[in-house]
Amino acid sequence: MNSILTKFNWFGLAGGATTILLIVVSLVSPWWQLTVGDDLVKVAASPVNMNMGFLGTSFTIPFIWALNMVSILTLLASGIAMLVYSVIPRKSYSKHLLGFGYKKPLFTVLFFVIGLVATTMICQAILNFNVPLMGSTTSTLPIPFVSGITLTVLLSAGFQWTFGLAIVAAGLCIAARLYHGKVAAVPSV
Amino acid sequence: MDKVRLLLTLITIAIVVVPIVGMVLAYQGNLLGLFIPPEINEIADDLTGGDGDNGSGLEAPTMVGEPTYDEATRTFSVSFQYKNTFHLDITIKSLTGNIECDEHRFPLGNASLSKPVSIDAGETGTLTVLGTWTEEAIDHFENMHAGEEMVDVVLVDFAVDISGIQLQMDQGQMEQSMQVPNPAP
């Protein structure tokens, strides 16, 4: 029983599988979503897929699409590395695979949150326009070159279940790193 | 072992560099397009340079049918047609404003939308606006517009809620002209 527990790094297996699952679900379900009015403006954001909609027209910014590709490939490489490491945790190169894979989901989550917070702060500082990270708020939008018209909009934003899955994936990968000591300590038969 | 480390480092660099450099190369003739997709220009064109009556993509409402007046409640009803030029369905949830005599700029009362109206993308919907005259308005019609069957009035200072976006026009910013039956002909 003990040998089965230490033969593989189960946290790594779960972390790698969850990371790959995260890529798939993030392509269709965002980590964070913002709606303005009754879906007049919609922002569906995740490191894997960023989509914006304005008055019924959906679009993606090419540079952000390239960053999405970076995230997809990073998470995919991390997931594969974690899976390979987890089934052969005692090989000489396994620690390199673990080191390569376990931090990437955590950094992806951190960069995403930092990016979101920075974007909302920039909106507040430059445009004087309050974008909530979670919940709803009413904001008054500046209309460039037009005076005498006040545009007030209801903004609703929130993190989606996929963001929770990303945190789980990051947590499992970190747990795999911590569990590695137990797996590696058992001498290979 | 060093080969594995080197391979993983190369993979990390390639993962970051290839998509970004590839995209920059794809847009090397139009670097602005990296950040502003063509859809943004189409939206801007729709809003500012479309086929609308006022030179923009937004259509101005047009008055349709005969206005009606109920003497008992001092309420009139006017219908407008509005074409939704956007690519999505909209709901005009509310519309309120003040009514003034077009000729004398005398405040006559207020008006509001009878009920919310949903208009599908590209379709035309009918908005019914109900207005109530004040006592002073009736006096104004009697004294200043005696003998006139229809009187030109304007809807001013109006606020409109379109699918959760509220537009409030400040005084004198925008007017909607209409003809209403004279309550004291």
Side-chain angles (χ1 to χ4, degrees):
Chain A
M1 181 67 183
N2 195 37
S3 67
I4 294 173
L5 282 175
T6 54
K7 187 177 181 186
F8 304 122
N9 189 327
W10 296 101
F11 288 109
L13 271 178
T18 310
T19 302
I20 290 170
L21 176 70
L22 177 69
I23 298 169
V24 176
V25 296
S26 299
L27 288 171
V28 289
S29 181
W31 291 16
W32 180 83
Q33 189 164 289
L34 169 75
T35 53
V36 179
D38 300 343
D39 288 351
L40 288 181
V41 179
K42 207 169 189 175
V43 178
S46 81
V48 167
N49 186 20
M50 175 102 171
N51 201 282
M52 284 174 259
F54 187 80
L55 301 175
T57 304
S58 290
F59 59 91
T60 302
I61 295 170
F63 185 74
I64 290 180
W65 187 85
L67 294 179
N68 288 157
M69 285 305 295
V70 171
S71 297
I72 289 172
L73 294 173
T74 301
L75 288 172
L76 188 64
S78 164
I80 291 169
M82 288 302 290
L83 288 176
V84 172
Y85 151 76
S86 299
V87 293
I88 44 167
R90 290 175 212 152
K91 294 278 184 189
S92 57
Y93 52 84
S94 293
K95 196 159 185 198
H96 290 304
L97 288 173
L98 176 65
F100 172 81
Y102 90 93
K103 286 176 279 190
K104 287 179 169 54
L106 176 68
F107 285 153
T108 305
V109 170
L110 285 178
F111 283 136
F112 179 72
V113 172
I114 290 168
L116 265 187
V117 172
T119 305
T120 56
M121 286 172 75
I122 288 167
C123 282
Q124 178 70 53
I126 296 176
L127 302 173
N128 199 23
F129 178 58
N130 184 24
V131 177
L133 273 180
M134 287 197 290
S136 297
T137 186
T138 302
S139 282
T140 302
L141 266 173
I143 308 177
F145 315 117
V146 177
S147 60
I149 300 178
T150 309
L151 184 64
T152 308
V153 292
L154 175 70
L155 297 108
S156 303
F159 289 96
Q160 310 294 305
W161 67 273
T162 35
F163 182 68
L165 186 68
I167 292 171
V168 169
L172 285 169
C173 289
I174 290 166
R177 174 65 188 89
L178 299 175
Y179 191 62
H180 175 70
K182 281 191 177 175
V183 177
V186 178
S188 189
V189 181
Chain B
M1 219 161 71
D2 282 344
K3 282 182 184 171
V4 173
R5 183 182 283 181
L6 180 67
L7 180 68
L8 293 174
T9 306
L10 288 175
I11 289 172
T12 303
I13 293 168
I15 280 172
V16 175
V17 170
V18 170
I20 293 174
V21 170
M23 190 58 80
V24 171
L25 288 175
Y27 280 84
Q28 60 182 330
N30 173 28
L31 283 178
L32 200 61
L34 262 179
F35 303 95
I36 303 172
E39 290 89 346
I40 296 264
N41 294 327
E42 285 168 22
I43 292 165
D45 286 345
D46 278 353
L47 289 172
T48 59
D51 303 326
D53 298 340
N54 51 3
S56 76
L58 303 174
E59 294 268 351
T62 49
M63 201 170 146
V64 290
E66 288 294 313
T68 60
Y69 177 67
D70 180 4
E71 235 179 279
T73 57
R74 294 205 306 266
T75 303
F76 71 89
S77 167
V78 184
S79 293
F80 295 92
Q81 277 196 335
Y82 177 73
K83 186 176 182 190
N84 174 13
T85 54
F86 299 114
H87 299 290
L88 81 168
D89 304 343
I90 60 168
T91 300
I92 300 175
K93 292 180 171 177
S94 68
L95 187 154
T96 55
N98 297 320
I99 307 166
E100 287 181 358
C101 170
D102 193 19
E103 189 180 347
H104 305 102
R105 288 287 149 181
F106 186 85
L108 300 170
N110 50 51
S112 60
L113 195 65
S114 65
K115 60 177 182 193
V117 179
S118 294
I119 311 173
D120 292 345
E123 298 293 314
T124 301
T126 303
L127 319 172
T128 302
V129 174
L130 301 175
T132 308
W133 303 131
T134 60
E135 289 283 0
E136 293 78 15
I138 302 292
D139 292 341
H140 177 81
F141 284 119
E142 280 175 355
N143 297 330
M144 308 301 288
H145 297 278
E148 296 175 27
E149 201 169 309
M150 302 294 280
V151 179
D152 290 327
V153 298
V154 286
L155 181 64
V156 295
D157 310 336
F158 62 90
V160 60
D161 182 330
I162 304 172
S163 296
I165 290 187
Q166 292 156 15
L167 272 169
Q168 171 74 55
M169 315 292 172
D170 291 352
Q171 204 153 18
Q173 275 304 312
M174 203 176 280
E175 297 180 349
Q176 174 64 50
S177 301
M178 52 189 172
Q179 276 200 322
V180 294
N182 189 344

